[in-house]
């Protein structure tokens, strides 16, 4: 998110040099810099005890499989967001959420915090925004995703983590 006006008082921002940050948008009235901020989201690969990954098809947007993702809400930390999104979209509460990596999505000015959520295998109870969900062996999950997407990079990173831990 890029600010042209102060989100606190509505004044037009000026450009001001702020230390090592260089020229940044600044509110002369509030005397505060208004740094550009990416929207923060989580993207999560849900993995069960058999190293199967749950991929979803959304009821809106692009067709094809994706990982669970959602926006971070004010007052929740990233792990809570990842857990909440898995539970909302798949209907299964994770028992462990592990940070994997961060990914930039410049097209939408997002920072996506990648997680692997460990869940027990059971039937899904899908939210209205999920058209379908399916379990795949984690290596096959990578083949179901569009190449070079953030979801594919997350799955690759999760596979490396699983193999590195000897699981």
């Amino acid at each position: 998110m890029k600010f042209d006006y102060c989100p606190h008082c509505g004044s037009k921002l000026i450009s001001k040099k702020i230390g090592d940050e260089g020229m940044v948008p600044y509110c002369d009235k509030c005397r505060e810099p208004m740094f550009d901020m990416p929207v923060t989201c989580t993207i999560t690969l849900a993995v069960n005890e058999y190293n199967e990954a749950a991929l979803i098809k959304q009821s809106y947007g692009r067709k094809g499989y994706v990982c669970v993702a959602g926006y971070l809400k004010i007052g929740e930390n990233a792990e809570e967001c990842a857990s909440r999104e898995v539970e909302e979209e798949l209907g299964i509460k994770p028992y462990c959420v592990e940070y994997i990596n961060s990914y930039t999505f410049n097209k939408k000015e997002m920072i996506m915090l990648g997680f692997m959520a460990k869940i027990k295998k059971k039937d899904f109870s899908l939210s209205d925004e999920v058209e379908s969900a399916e379990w795949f062996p984690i290596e096959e999950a990578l083949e179901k995703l569009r190449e070079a997407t953030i979801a594919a990079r997350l799955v690759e990173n999760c596979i490396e983590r699983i193999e590195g831990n000897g699981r």
Side-chain angles (χ1 to χ4, degrees):
M1 175 184 304
K2 297 180 189 230
F3 294 104
D4 291 320
Y5 294 89
C6 177
H8 305 293
C9 73
S11 297
K12 177 90 172 131
L13 300 176
I14 62 169
S15 188
K16 182 175 180 178
K17 183 167 176 25
I18 305 290
D20 293 338
E21 302 299 325
M23 301 301 283
V24 299
Y26 184 84
C27 179
D28 224 8
K29 185 175 179 184
C30 295
R31 298 178 192 255
E32 284 189 51
M34 297 295 153
F35 295 99
D36 295 338
M37 296 185 308
V39 174
T40 307
C41 296
T42 61
I43 182 167
T44 307
L45 181 66
V47 178
N48 67 28
E49 64 271 29
Y50 307 106
N51 280 338
E52 294 173 321
L55 297 181
I56 64 172
K57 288 186 177 181
Q58 296 171 318
S59 57
Y60 61 90
R62 289 197 169 115
K63 297 301 173 198
Y65 288 104
V66 295
C67 293
V68 171
Y71 293 94
L72 186 70
K73 293 181 178 180
I74 291 175
E76 83 183 336
N77 66 41
E79 291 80 4
E80 291 168 338
C81 177
S83 182
R84 174 182 53 78
E85 287 292 338
V86 168
E87 189 169 7
E88 284 176 1
E89 294 186 11
L90 297 176
I92 304 171
K93 185 171 180 61
Y95 62 86
C96 179
V97 175
E98 181 181 349
Y99 175 76
I100 301 297
N101 205 351
S102 62
Y103 310 91
T104 56
F105 188 25
N106 292 329
K107 182 178 174 184
K108 292 194 175 183
E109 297 180 349
M110 290 179 173
I111 182 79
M112 300 192 78
L113 304 175
F115 290 90
M116 180 169 49
K118 296 180 182 177
I119 59 178
K120 295 288 184 186
K121 185 173 185 174
K122 58 176 153 179
D123 291 337
F124 300 115
S125 177
L126 304 177
S127 77
D128 291 340
E129 68 183 63
V130 177
E131 183 179 297
S132 65
E134 198 171 333
W135 292 110
F136 296 99
I138 196 165
E139 295 79 12
E140 279 183 38
L142 190 54
E143 299 165 14
K144 299 292 181 185
L145 300 167
R146 285 192 9 245
E147 205 174 316
T149 60
I150 291 172
R153 289 171 38 212
L154 173 62
V155 172
E156 288 170 349
N157 293 152
C158 288
I159 290 170
E160 290 170 9
R161 179 72 54 98
I162 289 168
E163 290 173 354
N165 288 341
R167 287 186 250 161

